[in-house]
């Protein structure tokens, strides 16, 4: 199947993006600090510090999403709960980053973001029907004491 390799690729890409995003923002913070850059009168030290903190937070977010994809690849199970929400939010973030990249960086960055977006969506969709198929046909409603019940209704009392 294609599920596990896609999960591995998504995990590797998200870990690489985590390092890349953190490194770029850290570098921008260093540049802003050394050049004493300011935007609309904001303190240059605040600019540098917020860029570094933002890079670390965004990098940790992508690393956490990569960890979810890694767990999916190792266990070969669909992401559930918070993990699924994290992967969906990562897909949305890649869509937004792709839109910004088209205008600011160019179409190659846009294509990369769309490729990662497509892989995350593929990861989410390939595991979508796995839970229902693994459960098999539904068992009839049964009561251990009185046998099968009609349509899930409560069994009649023995006396009436």
């Amino acid at each position: 199947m294609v599920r596990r390799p896609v999960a591995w690729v998504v995990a590797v890409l998200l870990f690489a993006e985590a390092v890349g995003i953190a490194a770029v923002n850290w570098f921008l913070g260093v540049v802003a600090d050394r050049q004493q850059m300011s935007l609309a009168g904001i303190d240059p030290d605040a600019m540098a510090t917020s860029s570094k903190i933002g890079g670390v937070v965004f990098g940790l977010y992508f690393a956490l999403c990569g960890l979810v994809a890694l767990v999916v690849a190792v266990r070969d199970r669909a992401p559930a709960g918070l993990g699924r929400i994290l992967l969906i939010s990562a897909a949305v973030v890649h869509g937004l980053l792709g839109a910004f990249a088209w205008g600011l960086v160019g179409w190659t960055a846009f294509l990369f973001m769309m490729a990662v977006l497509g892989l995350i969506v593929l990861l989410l969709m390939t595991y979508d029907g796995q839970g229902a198929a693994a459960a098999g046909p539904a068992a009839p409603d049964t009561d251990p004491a009185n046998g099968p019940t009609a349509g899930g209704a409560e069994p009649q009392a023995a006396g009436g």
Side-chain angles (χ1 to χ4, degrees):
M1 279 298 232
V2 75
R3 294 186 307 209
R4 276 189 129 166
V6 167
W8 282 107
V9 169
V10 168
V12 168
L13 283 173
L14 287 174
F15 284 131
E17 277 187 290
V19 171
I21 289 288
V24 165
N25 278 310
W26 193 272
F27 174 73
L28 289 174
V30 169
V31 168
D33 188 35
R34 289 188 181 163
Q35 296 295 320
Q36 292 296 311
M37 293 179 172
S38 177
L39 182 67
I42 298 174
D43 181 37
D45 290 331
M47 292 273 299
T49 304
S50 63
S51 177
K52 291 175 183 177
I53 290 172
V56 168
V57 168
F58 208 38
L60 288 174
Y61 164 73
F62 274 144
L64 185 60
C65 293
L67 182 65
V68 169
L70 182 66
V71 168
V72 168
V74 169
R75 291 185 180 171
D76 198 22
R77 284 197 211 151
L82 181 62
R84 187 168 183 85
I85 292 170
L86 278 172
L87 287 177
I88 291 169
S89 70
V92 170
V93 166
H94 278 85
L96 292 172
L97 286 176
F100 289 128
W102 179 276
L104 297 175
V105 180
W107 62 270
T108 53
F110 171 77
L111 287 179
F112 175 75
M113 288 296 161
M114 292 303 106
V116 176
L117 168 66
L119 286 170
I120 293 172
V121 170
L122 183 63
L123 170 68
L124 290 166
M125 296 302 290
T126 54
Y127 283 100
D128 196 31
Q130 180 188 8
D141 294 335
T142 58
D143 181 25
N146 297 327
T149 60
E154 293 294 321
Q156 296 287 331

PDB file of all heavy atoms in Angstrom, residues 72-91:
ATOM      1  N   VAL A  72       2.213   7.713  12.911  1.00  0.00           N
ATOM      2  CA  VAL A  72       1.313   7.093  11.937  1.00  0.00           C
ATOM      3  C   VAL A  72       2.085   6.102  11.080  1.00  0.00           C
ATOM      4  O   VAL A  72       1.618   4.989  10.805  1.00  0.00           O
ATOM      5  CB  VAL A  72       0.627   8.169  11.063  1.00  0.00           C
ATOM      6  CG1 VAL A  72      -0.066   7.551   9.870  1.00  0.00           C
ATOM      7  CG2 VAL A  72      -0.366   8.967  11.890  1.00  0.00           C
ATOM      8  N   ALA A  73       3.291   6.463  10.657  1.00  0.00           N
ATOM      9  CA  ALA A  73       4.100   5.579   9.814  1.00  0.00           C
ATOM     10  C   ALA A  73       4.536   4.327  10.570  1.00  0.00           C
ATOM     11  O   ALA A  73       4.510   3.225  10.020  1.00  0.00           O
ATOM     12  CB  ALA A  73       5.323   6.322   9.295  1.00  0.00           C
ATOM     13  N   VAL A  74       4.910   4.475  11.823  1.00  0.00           N
ATOM     14  CA  VAL A  74       5.388   3.332  12.602  1.00  0.00           C
ATOM     15  C   VAL A  74       4.244   2.400  12.957  1.00  0.00           C
ATOM     16  O   VAL A  74       4.344   1.174  12.801  1.00  0.00           O
ATOM     17  CB  VAL A  74       6.121   3.824  13.871  1.00  0.00           C
ATOM     18  CG1 VAL A  74       6.381   2.676  14.826  1.00  0.00           C
ATOM     19  CG2 VAL A  74       7.417   4.514  13.489  1.00  0.00           C
ATOM     20  N   ARG A  75       3.123   2.949  13.409  1.00  0.00           N
ATOM     21  CA  ARG A  75       1.993   2.122  13.847  1.00  0.00           C
ATOM     22  C   ARG A  75       1.098   1.658  12.711  1.00  0.00           C
ATOM     23  O   ARG A  75       0.329   0.723  12.888  1.00  0.00           O
ATOM     24  CB  ARG A  75       1.145   2.892  14.851  1.00  0.00           C
ATOM     25  CG  ARG A  75       1.828   3.119  16.162  1.00  0.00           C
ATOM     26  CD  ARG A  75       0.879   3.773  17.116  1.00  0.00           C
ATOM     27  NE  ARG A  75       1.515   4.011  18.402  1.00  0.00           N
ATOM     28  CZ  ARG A  75       0.972   4.712  19.359  1.00  0.00           C
ATOM     29  NH1 ARG A  75      -0.221   5.237  19.196  1.00  0.00           N
ATOM     30  NH2 ARG A  75       1.603   4.889  20.491  1.00  0.00           N
ATOM     31  N   ASP A  76       1.162   2.336  11.581  1.00  0.00           N
ATOM     32  CA  ASP A  76       0.293   2.069  10.432  1.00  0.00           C
ATOM     33  C   ASP A  76      -1.181   2.155  10.828  1.00  0.00           C
ATOM     34  O   ASP A  76      -1.997   1.330  10.450  1.00  0.00           O
ATOM     35  CB  ASP A  76       0.601   0.716   9.800  1.00  0.00           C
ATOM     36  CG  ASP A  76       0.029   0.616   8.389  1.00  0.00           C
ATOM     37  OD1 ASP A  76      -0.218   1.674   7.770  1.00  0.00           O
ATOM     38  OD2 ASP A  76      -0.190  -0.507   7.908  1.00  0.00           O
ATOM     39  N   ARG A  77      -1.489   3.174  11.614  1.00  0.00           N
ATOM     40  CA  ARG A  77      -2.871   3.461  12.020  1.00  0.00           C
ATOM     41  C   ARG A  77      -3.187   4.910  11.726  1.00  0.00           C
ATOM     42  O   ARG A  77      -2.314   5.756  11.686  1.00  0.00           O
ATOM     43  CB  ARG A  77      -3.047   3.242  13.528  1.00  0.00           C
ATOM     44  CG  ARG A  77      -3.136   1.817  13.910  1.00  0.00           C
ATOM     45  CD  ARG A  77      -3.702   1.718  15.301  1.00  0.00           C
ATOM     46  NE  ARG A  77      -3.152   0.554  15.959  1.00  0.00           N
ATOM     47  CZ  ARG A  77      -2.973   0.436  17.250  1.00  0.00           C
ATOM     48  NH1 ARG A  77      -3.299   1.421  18.042  1.00  0.00           N
ATOM     49  NH2 ARG A  77      -2.486  -0.653  17.769  1.00  0.00           N
ATOM     50  N   ALA A  78      -4.448   5.185  11.559  1.00  0.00           N
ATOM     51  CA  ALA A  78      -4.897   6.545  11.270  1.00  0.00           C
ATOM     52  C   ALA A  78      -4.630   7.452  12.464  1.00  0.00           C
ATOM     53  O   ALA A  78      -4.755   7.034  13.610  1.00  0.00           O
ATOM     54  CB  ALA A  78      -6.386   6.540  10.955  1.00  0.00           C
ATOM     55  N   PRO A  79      -4.278   8.703  12.193  1.00  0.00           N
ATOM     56  CA  PRO A  79      -4.133   9.639  13.309  1.00  0.00           C
ATOM     57  C   PRO A  79      -5.503   9.946  13.899  1.00  0.00           C
ATOM     58  O   PRO A  79      -6.493  10.031  13.189  1.00  0.00           O
ATOM     59  CB  PRO A  79      -3.524  10.881  12.655  1.00  0.00           C
ATOM     60  CG  PRO A  79      -3.919  10.788  11.226  1.00  0.00           C
ATOM     61  CD  PRO A  79      -4.009   9.329  10.909  1.00  0.00           C
ATOM     62  N   ALA A  80      -5.554  10.076  15.203  1.00  0.00           N
ATOM     63  CA  ALA A  80      -6.836  10.322  15.857  1.00  0.00           C
ATOM     64  C   ALA A  80      -6.698  11.494  16.820  1.00  0.00           C
ATOM     65  O   ALA A  80      -5.604  11.798  17.286  1.00  0.00           O
ATOM     66  CB  ALA A  80      -7.288   9.079  16.619  1.00  0.00           C
ATOM     67  N   GLY A  81      -7.796  12.134  17.082  1.00  0.00           N
ATOM     68  CA  GLY A  81      -7.850  13.191  18.076  1.00  0.00           C
ATOM     69  C   GLY A  81      -6.956  14.370  17.750  1.00  0.00           C
ATOM     70  O   GLY A  81      -7.034  14.951  16.662  1.00  0.00           O
ATOM     71  N   LEU A  82      -6.076  14.711  18.684  1.00  0.00           N
ATOM     72  CA  LEU A  82      -5.205  15.861  18.542  1.00  0.00           C
ATOM     73  C   LEU A  82      -4.241  15.695  17.365  1.00  0.00           C
ATOM     74  O   LEU A  82      -3.929  16.663  16.666  1.00  0.00           O
ATOM     75  CB  LEU A  82      -4.425  16.101  19.837  1.00  0.00           C
ATOM     76  CG  LEU A  82      -3.495  17.302  19.846  1.00  0.00           C
ATOM     77  CD1 LEU A  82      -4.286  18.590  19.657  1.00  0.00           C
ATOM     78  CD2 LEU A  82      -2.699  17.344  21.130  1.00  0.00           C
ATOM     79  N   GLY A  83      -3.783  14.469  17.125  1.00  0.00           N
ATOM     80  CA  GLY A  83      -2.878  14.229  15.998  1.00  0.00           C
ATOM     81  C   GLY A  83      -3.526  14.542  14.665  1.00  0.00           C
ATOM     82  O   GLY A  83      -2.910  15.152  13.788  1.00  0.00           O
ATOM     83  N   ARG A  84      -4.758  14.145  14.508  1.00  0.00           N
ATOM     84  CA  ARG A  84      -5.488  14.446  13.267  1.00  0.00           C
ATOM     85  C   ARG A  84      -5.703  15.951  13.118  1.00  0.00           C
ATOM     86  O   ARG A  84      -5.544  16.500  12.029  1.00  0.00           O
ATOM     87  CB  ARG A  84      -6.823  13.710  13.258  1.00  0.00           C
ATOM     88  CG  ARG A  84      -7.576  13.817  11.951  1.00  0.00           C
ATOM     89  CD  ARG A  84      -8.731  12.821  11.935  1.00  0.00           C
ATOM     90  NE  ARG A  84      -9.416  12.846  10.689  1.00  0.00           N
ATOM     91  CZ  ARG A  84      -9.067  12.161   9.603  1.00  0.00           C
ATOM     92  NH1 ARG A  84      -7.995  11.409   9.648  1.00  0.00           N
ATOM     93  NH2 ARG A  84      -9.761  12.227   8.493  1.00  0.00           N
ATOM     94  N   ILE A  85      -6.035  16.612  14.218  1.00  0.00           N
ATOM     95  CA  ILE A  85      -6.222  18.063  14.175  1.00  0.00           C
ATOM     96  C   ILE A  85      -4.912  18.753  13.807  1.00  0.00           C
ATOM     97  O   ILE A  85      -4.902  19.701  13.013  1.00  0.00           O
ATOM     98  CB  ILE A  85      -6.772  18.565  15.527  1.00  0.00           C
ATOM     99  CG1 ILE A  85      -8.202  18.065  15.721  1.00  0.00           C
ATOM    100  CG2 ILE A  85      -6.712  20.073  15.618  1.00  0.00           C
ATOM    101  CD1 ILE A  85      -8.759  18.291  17.098  1.00  0.00           C
ATOM    102  N   LEU A  86      -3.789  18.282  14.370  1.00  0.00           N
ATOM    103  CA  LEU A  86      -2.493  18.870  14.034  1.00  0.00           C
ATOM    104  C   LEU A  86      -2.171  18.707  12.554  1.00  0.00           C
ATOM    105  O   LEU A  86      -1.674  19.638  11.912  1.00  0.00           O
ATOM    106  CB  LEU A  86      -1.392  18.237  14.885  1.00  0.00           C
ATOM    107  CG  LEU A  86      -1.216  18.797  16.285  1.00  0.00           C
ATOM    108  CD1 LEU A  86      -0.237  17.946  17.080  1.00  0.00           C
ATOM    109  CD2 LEU A  86      -0.743  20.226  16.232  1.00  0.00           C
ATOM    110  N   LEU A  87      -2.435  17.529  11.997  1.00  0.00           N
ATOM    111  CA  LEU A  87      -2.140  17.324  10.574  1.00  0.00           C
ATOM    112  C   LEU A  87      -3.061  18.165   9.687  1.00  0.00           C
ATOM    113  O   LEU A  87      -2.627  18.686   8.657  1.00  0.00           O
ATOM    114  CB  LEU A  87      -2.246  15.841  10.220  1.00  0.00           C
ATOM    115  CG  LEU A  87      -1.096  14.974  10.747  1.00  0.00           C
ATOM    116  CD1 LEU A  87      -1.332  13.517  10.420  1.00  0.00           C
ATOM    117  CD2 LEU A  87       0.237  15.445  10.200  1.00  0.00           C
ATOM    118  N   ILE A  88      -4.317  18.298  10.076  1.00  0.00           N
ATOM    119  CA  ILE A  88      -5.232  19.150   9.304  1.00  0.00           C
ATOM    120  C   ILE A  88      -4.767  20.604   9.369  1.00  0.00           C
ATOM    121  O   ILE A  88      -4.753  21.310   8.354  1.00  0.00           O
ATOM    122  CB  ILE A  88      -6.682  18.994   9.809  1.00  0.00           C
ATOM    123  CG1 ILE A  88      -7.212  17.601   9.454  1.00  0.00           C
ATOM    124  CG2 ILE A  88      -7.584  20.074   9.235  1.00  0.00           C
ATOM    125  CD1 ILE A  88      -8.524  17.253  10.117  1.00  0.00           C
ATOM    126  N   SER A  89      -4.358  21.043  10.549  1.00  0.00           N
ATOM    127  CA  SER A  89      -3.879  22.428  10.662  1.00  0.00           C
ATOM    128  C   SER A  89      -2.584  22.620   9.880  1.00  0.00           C
ATOM    129  O   SER A  89      -2.361  23.695   9.300  1.00  0.00           O
ATOM    130  CB  SER A  89      -3.689  22.814  12.129  1.00  0.00           C
ATOM    131  OG  SER A  89      -2.591  22.124  12.698  1.00  0.00           O
ATOM    132  N   ALA A  90      -1.733  21.606   9.827  1.00  0.00           N
ATOM    133  CA  ALA A  90      -0.506  21.711   9.022  1.00  0.00           C
ATOM    134  C   ALA A  90      -0.849  21.819   7.541  1.00  0.00           C
ATOM    135  O   ALA A  90      -0.178  22.550   6.795  1.00  0.00           O
ATOM    136  CB  ALA A  90       0.394  20.513   9.274  1.00  0.00           C
ATOM    137  N   ALA A  91      -1.890  21.117   7.113  1.00  0.00           N
ATOM    138  CA  ALA A  91      -2.318  21.232   5.717  1.00  0.00           C
ATOM    139  C   ALA A  91      -2.818  22.644   5.422  1.00  0.00           C
ATOM    140  O   ALA A  91      -2.493  23.225   4.374  1.00  0.00           O
ATOM    141  CB  ALA A  91      -3.414  20.199   5.414  1.00  0.00           C
TER     142      ALA A  91
END
